[in-house]
């Protein structure tokens, strides 16, 4: 099926290459039983992709259910997904079928899969690998034929390294990965989406659709849209209901857009000035450069103060009063404890000849390279556990697969 016909059928708006590619992958994988992992920020429309895959599949006449894993308490999610027997836990007054049993032959969409508890992840892995599950409080193995589509707005690989998501489940889920682009990555689609939402709300509220002038369109395009398509839809509805004039100007539109002055990355006009006329940064890279230079300056100042304290017994803290005040402002006033800087002389030893001998401490330069430290910790962990990778990886807080990769990367022999 052509991409445009899919858009027309399911009401998907946009022409960006990233969106078209995601739809193409969804169409190609729809008629199979492969597990799909849909990744993307919150509000980009991941559930719409799951519905599209189900509707284009051979299971389209069978049940479809969407489950938000982050909205179900950890104590009841096993019962919701796999069912339970009567009396299996407090409150289980009757037998209950789970979603994997009621949706047999259909599709289950597991949204926010990264929030699923580890115990439930093990049960889900069994379903994906063998099509089997056991109800809570039962010992009888049940069979099911359900296609799983999962979605996440988190980096699951990062969660696996932290031990919060099973690595084997990740690779089983991501048989076919689909990434839905954020709205700020498809700016050419923003005016089209706004017009579609404005027309829909006009029909619902029996009024004329609102329209944006050119300046308002540019403002809409330059807004970062942290809430993605969901936020754009909400803004369109607010304007449709609350705007007194159906021709919306940039000034009127600003009343509906949240303040973004303190959010990074920041979008600024092309002339390099802020709305108040003051000079601004041309892009996000310059902002980061300035932050790094400021940090370097502060670190240099701290080094200078430290050397003066070590080398000069009569160090006067008032010379750096301004810098100390800056450091004080970095923390809340009630939590700040200024460092106690004393001007007392260094420890002295009196020799038999009566002369004072000041003991100077020689500073040993220690490597602060992160890779060196990481290698050193890995070697220590392997020695501690006598070369047992699994125990060493557990002690280091990483997966055994990650440890194996690090061993090869640092050329560490066991």
């Amino acid at each position: 099926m052509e991409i445009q016909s899919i858009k027309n059928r399911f009401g998907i708006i946009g022409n960006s290459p990233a969106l078209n590619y995601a739809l193409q992958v969804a169409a190609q994988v729809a008629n199979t039983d492969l597990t799909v992992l849909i990744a993307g920020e919150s509000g980009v429309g991941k559930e719409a992709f799951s519905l599209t895959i189900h509707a284009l599949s051979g299971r389209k006449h069978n049940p479809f259910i969407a489950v938000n894993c982050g909205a179900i308490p950890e104590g009841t999610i096993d019962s919701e997904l796999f069912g339970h027997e009567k009396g299996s836990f407090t409150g289980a007054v009757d037998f209950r079928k789970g979603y994997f049993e009621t949706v047999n032959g259909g599709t289950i969409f597991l949204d926010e899969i990264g929030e699923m508890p580890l115990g439930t992840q093990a049960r889900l892995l069994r379903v994906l690998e063998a099509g089997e599950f056991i109800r809570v409080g039962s010992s009888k193995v049940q069979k099911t034929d359900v296609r799983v589509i999962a979605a996440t707005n988190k980096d699951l690989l990062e969660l696996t390294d932290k031990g919060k998501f099973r690595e084997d489940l990740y690779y089983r889920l991501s048989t076919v990965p689909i990434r839905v682009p954020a709205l700020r990555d498809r700016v050419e689609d923003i005016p089209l989406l706004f017009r579609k939402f404005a027309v829909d709300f006009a029909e619902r509220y029996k009024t004329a659709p609102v329209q944006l002038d050119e300046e308002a369109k540019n403002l809409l395009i330059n807004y970062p849209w942290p809430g993605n398509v969901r936020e754009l839809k909400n803004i369109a509805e607010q304007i449709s209901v609350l705007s007194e004039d159906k021709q919306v100007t940039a000034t009127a539109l600003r009343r509906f857009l949240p303040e973004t002055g303190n959010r990074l990355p920041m979008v600024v006009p092309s002339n390099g000035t802020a709305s108040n006329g003051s000079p601004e940064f041309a892009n996000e890279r310059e902002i980061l450069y300035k932050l790094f230079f400021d940090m370097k300056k502060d670190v240099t100042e701290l080094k200078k103060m430290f050397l003066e304290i070590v080398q000069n017994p009569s160090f006067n803290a008032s010379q750096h009063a301004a810098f100390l005040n800056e450091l004080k402002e970095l923390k809340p006033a009630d939590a700040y404890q200024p460092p106690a800087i004393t001007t007392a002389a260094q420890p002295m030893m009196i020799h038999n000849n009566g002369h004072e001998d000041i003991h100077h401490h020689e500073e040993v330069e220690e490597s602060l390279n992160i890779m060196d430290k990481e290698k050193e910790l890995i070697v220590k962990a392997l020695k501690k556990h006598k070369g047992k990778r699994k125990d060493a990886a557990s002690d280091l807080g990483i997966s055994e697969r990650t440890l194996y990769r690090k061993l090869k990367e640092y050329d560490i022999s066991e």
Side-chain angles (χ1 to χ4, degrees):
M1 183 179 290
E2 293 184 358
I3 298 299
Q4 190 56 49
S5 60
I6 294 176
K7 292 179 183 178
N8 295 339
R9 178 178 172 182
F10 298 102
I12 298 175
I13 306 297
N15 297 309
S16 73
L19 178 67
N20 289 340
Y21 178 74
L23 282 173
Q24 181 182 351
V25 175
Q28 288 178 320
V29 76
N31 209 28
T32 70
D33 280 334
L34 294 174
T35 306
V36 179
L37 178 62
I38 305 173
E41 296 179 6
S42 178
V44 295
K46 296 187 289 294
E47 186 170 348
F49 272 77
S50 69
L51 288 167
T52 301
I53 293 172
H54 174 72
L56 294 175
S57 72
R59 301 172 181 262
K60 59 186 175 184
H61 299 300
N62 296 330
F64 172 91
I65 189 170
V67 181
N68 189 325
C69 300
I72 305 177
E74 183 174 349
T76 61
I77 189 169
D78 283 356
S79 171
E80 293 287 327
L81 293 178
F82 309 108
H84 64 255
E85 297 290 342
K86 181 180 179 180
S88 57
F89 56 87
T90 304
V93 296
D94 202 357
F95 156 79
R96 181 185 184 280
K97 290 184 178 182
Y99 298 137
F100 278 100
E101 193 168 354
T102 58
V103 189
N104 188 24
T107 304
I108 186 167
F109 173 57
L110 300 176
D111 197 8
E112 295 188 31
I113 190 72
E115 302 293 337
M116 181 178 284
L118 286 170
T120 310
Q121 291 178 30
R123 287 173 172 261
L124 175 59
L125 184 63
R126 181 66 176 169
V127 173
L128 294 174
E129 290 182 341
E132 298 176 349
F133 67 94
I134 300 175
R135 298 192 194 108
V136 177
S138 173
S139 58
K140 183 180 178 181
V141 176
Q142 306 286 335
K143 282 285 189 178
T144 186
D145 176 25
V146 175
R147 183 185 193 171
V148 174
I149 302 175
T152 180
N153 58 5
K154 296 184 177 180
D155 186 343
L156 294 186
L157 272 178
E158 183 178 335
L159 292 181
T160 61
D161 286 339
K162 294 179 180 178
K164 296 182 179 179
F165 199 83
R166 292 180 64 101
E167 190 172 19
D168 48 3
L169 178 59
Y170 167 76
Y171 289 111
R172 190 65 181 78
L173 284 172
S174 59
T175 305
V176 179
I178 296 177
R179 174 160 292 279
V180 183
L183 188 57
R184 61 180 172 275
D185 295 330
R186 40 185 290 222
V187 292
E188 65 270 31
D189 295 339
I190 293 176
L192 298 175
L193 285 164
F194 181 87
R195 186 169 61 201
K196 171 66 166 59
F197 294 144
V199 170
D200 289 346
F201 291 128
E203 292 178 357
R204 179 186 299 180
Y205 301 123
K206 304 295 188 295
T207 183
V210 295
Q211 295 182 344
L212 303 175
D213 63 17
E214 286 302 316
E215 190 178 354
K217 285 182 182 178
N218 291 332
L219 180 61
L220 206 69
I221 289 173
N222 288 328
Y223 180 73
W225 298 110
N228 292 293
V229 178
R230 185 185 294 127
E231 183 182 10
L232 176 61
K233 186 176 182 179
N234 291 341
I235 294 295
E237 185 170 19
Q238 290 180 40
I239 296 174
S240 298
V241 173
L242 301 177
S243 179
E244 299 176 357
D245 193 348
K246 296 303 176 184
Q247 185 69 25
V248 180
T249 64
T251 303
L253 179 60
R254 284 192 182 92
R255 294 190 294 112
F256 298 96
L257 296 178
E259 286 291 333
T260 60
N262 294 327
R263 185 184 285 120
L264 292 176
M266 182 173 63
V267 178
V268 297
S270 58
N271 59 3
T273 59
S275 57
N276 59 4
S278 62
E280 264 295 355
F281 298 105
N283 51 44
E284 297 87 352
R285 184 178 296 178
E286 292 187 14
I287 297 175
L288 293 174
Y289 282 165
K290 183 179 185 302
L291 288 173
F292 291 147
F293 287 141
D294 288 346
M295 290 171 62
K296 183 178 180 181
K297 178 182 175 183
D298 291 345
V299 171
T300 303
E301 187 70 20
L302 282 170
K303 285 182 178 178
K304 181 180 178 182
M305 290 175 60
F306 178 75
L307 288 174
E308 288 193 33
I309 293 172
V310 171
Q311 298 175 359
N312 185 8
S314 60
F315 170 76
N316 186 3
S318 62
Q319 296 173 356
H320 298 275
F323 183 68
L324 289 173
N325 288 334
E326 289 182 14
L327 292 178
K328 183 176 181 180
E329 292 174 1
L330 293 177
K331 293 184 178 181
D334 55 348
Y336 177 75
Q337 294 293 333
I341 301 176
T342 66
T343 57
Q346 298 180 12
M348 293 183 296
M349 181 179 292
I350 306 298
H351 290 272
N352 292 333
N353 56 9
H355 295 291
E356 296 176 351
D357 184 16
I358 300 178
H359 285 253
H360 295 281
H361 298 279
E362 182 180 355
E363 295 295 326
V364 178
E365 187 67 24
E366 181 183 3
S367 172
L368 297 180
N369 186 284
I370 294 177
M371 295 180 66
D372 291 343
K373 288 295 181 183
E374 187 176 50
K375 181 177 179 180
E376 181 182 338
L377 286 173
I378 291 173
V379 172
K380 285 183 178 178
L382 287 170
K383 287 182 178 179
K384 176 181 176 182
H385 297 283
K386 299 179 180 178
K388 295 181 180 178
R389 290 183 184 175
K390 186 175 181 180
D391 295 339
S394 177
D395 203 0
L396 291 167
I398 60 177
S399 67
E400 191 174 354
R401 186 186 184 92
T402 302
L403 176 60
Y404 179 75
R405 190 175 69 249
K406 295 291 185 183
L407 290 175
K408 295 186 68 177
E409 179 181 343
Y410 296 131
D411 194 20
I412 300 174
S413 58
E414 301 175 60

